[in-house]
Amino acid sequence: MNRRFFAKTAAAVALSALVAGCASQADGPGDIVDIAASNDDFSTLVAAVQAAGLVDTLKSDGPFTVFAPTNDAFAALPAGTVESLLLPENKDKLTEILTYHVLSGAVTSDQVLGERLSVPTVQGQNVIVDGRVGKYGSGVRVNDANVTAADIIASNGVIHVIDKVLLPK
C-alpha cells in the first residue's frame, strides 16, 4: 500500500511539474522585471527599481533594452552609495541613474557587433555602445562596462548583463 501511494504521488508530482513547465513555455518569457526578480544576481537592481517606482514602467509593453548591472557591479560603487541612493529623499537621483541604463526599443547584440554607436537613453543622455573588436576583445561594451551576458529576451524587450553601474555625467 505504501509503495502504491508513493508511486501515485511521485507520478502526480512529475505530471504537475511537466504541465507547469509547458504552461510557462507557452506563455513565453516573462517581462524585464520578472526575469530580473527571478535571478538572485539582480537583487540590488530589483530593489533599486522598486525604490525608484519604476516597476510598472519596466513591466509595460515597451519594448526596452536594459543594461542590467549585477549585485557585484553595485557592490563596486563607493561604500554607502547604494544605501544612500535607496533612501526616499534620493529617489530622483536613483531614477536618473536607472533610466540611464534603459534604451527605448529592443536592441540585440547582433545589431551592434562591429559598430560603435552613441545611443540615447530613456534618461536623456547618450551611452556609447561599442561592438567592435579592439583592446577589450570581441565583446560589447557600454561606456566603460562590459556586457557579460547578452540577449536575455523578455516579453517586453531585451536584457544585457553588465559588470559596472553606468553613471550619467
Side-chain angles (χ1 to χ4, degrees):
M1 172 102 168
N2 286 339
R3 284 184 188 173
R4 186 176 293 163
F5 175 77
F6 176 75
K8 285 182 180 179
T9 302
V13 168
L15 181 59
S16 296
L18 179 63
V19 169
C22 290
S24 65
Q25 286 180 345
D27 294 340
D31 61 47
I32 288 168
V33 174
D34 292 340
I35 290 172
S38 71
N39 186 327
D40 290 340
D41 288 336
F42 298 119
S43 60
T44 304
L45 176 62
V46 171
V49 167
Q50 291 169 337
L54 295 173
V55 171
D56 289 341
T57 300
L58 291 174
K59 287 180 94 44
S60 69
D61 291 341
F64 303 105
T65 298
V66 174
F67 299 112
T70 62
N71 293 342
D72 289 341
F74 280 102
L77 292 171
T81 301
V82 173
E83 293 78 10
S84 175
L85 286 170
L86 292 176
L87 294 173
E89 59 266 25
N90 295 325
K91 182 178 178 180
D92 290 343
K93 181 67 174 169
L94 179 60
T95 300
E96 179 184 358
I97 291 170
L98 292 175
T99 55
Y100 188 62
H101 289 78
V102 181
L103 308 178
S104 218
V107 180
T108 55
S109 61
D110 64 324
Q111 294 172 298
V112 299
L113 287 178
E115 303 287 334
R116 184 176 191 276
L117 308 166
S118 179
V119 185
T121 67
V122 171
Q123 179 263 357
Q125 293 181 31
N126 286 9
V127 292
I128 302 298
V129 179
D130 194 344
R132 300 173 301 169
V133 176
K135 68 179 180 179
Y136 301 108
S138 61
V140 175
R141 290 177 57 83
V142 181
N143 290 353
D144 63 344
N146 294 302
V147 174
T148 59
D151 301 331
I152 300 168
I153 304 300
S155 62
N156 61 343
V158 62
I159 301 168
H160 303 290
V161 181
I162 56 174
D163 64 357
K164 289 185 181 179
V165 175
L166 305 174
L167 299 173
K169 297 173 183 157

